[in-house]
Amino acid sequence: MEINLNTPALLFPAISLIMLAYTNRFLSLSNRIRSLHDKYQSHEQKHIIHGQIKNLRYRLKLIKNMQALGVVTFLGCIICMYLIYTQFMIAANIVFAISLICFAASLFLSLIEIQLSTKALELELSDMEGLEDPSVIEYFRKKFGRD
């Protein structure tokens, strides 16, 4: 497959948007960590906070790696464009393929982090009694009145 200068350049907007999303996730996570730290200092609900802290530490590592892979993808696209410009097409193809793999890995880590964020919310809800956790099918049955 022949790639031209526009091929890696097409990824720039996608990478920029995904990096913005990752940064927003990091900022919301850091705000949550700060509020949990205040709760922990005031000795409120320590049994719930311990589970959340473990979850947040892991999610923080995931976001760091998501961002690192995003930056590697960005740099790979820039290097690929330079290699295309200097007519090193074999190297450009290899670098572009590596960039795509890094981008896919970053998105995969993002998926894992999203799954963990829902578990964190479940931990938050765990101290409330009498709440059900219906499956998606049960939810739609109740929503549309089919038994």
Side-chain angles (χ1 to χ4, degrees):
M1 177 182 125
E2 287 292 321
I3 60 174
N4 61 23
L5 204 55
N6 292 329
T7 306
L10 285 173
L11 282 180
F12 277 24
I15 297 167
S16 298
L17 286 174
I18 208 76
M19 291 297 289
L20 181 64
Y22 293 167
T23 301
N24 286 338
R25 292 202 64 78
F26 175 77
L27 290 174
S28 67
L29 192 64
S30 64
N31 286 334
R32 181 67 183 140
I33 289 170
R34 287 184 183 97
S35 71
L36 265 179
H37 183 265
D38 292 342
K39 264 188 183 179
Y40 189 80
Q41 293 297 332
S42 65
H43 305 290
E44 295 176 20
Q45 303 173 340
K46 283 199 174 194
H47 64 284
I48 295 173
I49 293 174
H50 284 288
Q52 289 177 342
I53 289 170
K54 289 169 79 175
N55 184 292
L56 289 172
R57 282 183 194 264
Y58 188 64
R59 286 175 57 201
L60 198 57
K61 289 176 187 176
L62 282 174
I63 290 175
K64 178 184 73 169
N65 290 327
M66 288 161 33
Q67 289 176 325
L69 286 169
V71 169
V72 169
T73 302
F74 222 140
L75 289 173
C77 285
I78 292 169
I79 292 167
C80 179
M81 289 174 67
Y82 176 76
L83 291 170
I84 291 170
Y85 179 74
T86 57
Q87 298 296 312
F88 290 112
M89 296 310 288
I90 294 173
N93 285 326
I94 293 169
V95 170
F96 186 66
I98 291 170
S99 294
L100 289 177
I101 291 168
C102 288
F103 195 48
S106 175
L107 291 173
F108 180 72
L109 289 179
S110 175
L111 178 65
I112 293 171
E113 198 276 329
I114 289 168
Q115 297 296 319
L116 287 174
S117 70
T118 58
K119 284 185 182 181
L121 292 174
E122 289 173 10
L123 274 172
E124 191 73 28
L125 294 172
S126 68
D127 63 339
M128 294 184 219
E129 294 181 24
L131 293 177
E132 299 175 0
D133 185 18
S135 69
V136 174
I137 295 171
E138 290 174 14
Y139 172 79
F140 282 119
R141 281 185 185 155
K142 288 180 182 179
K143 180 88 172 165
F144 296 111
R146 295 184 183 166
D147 290 321

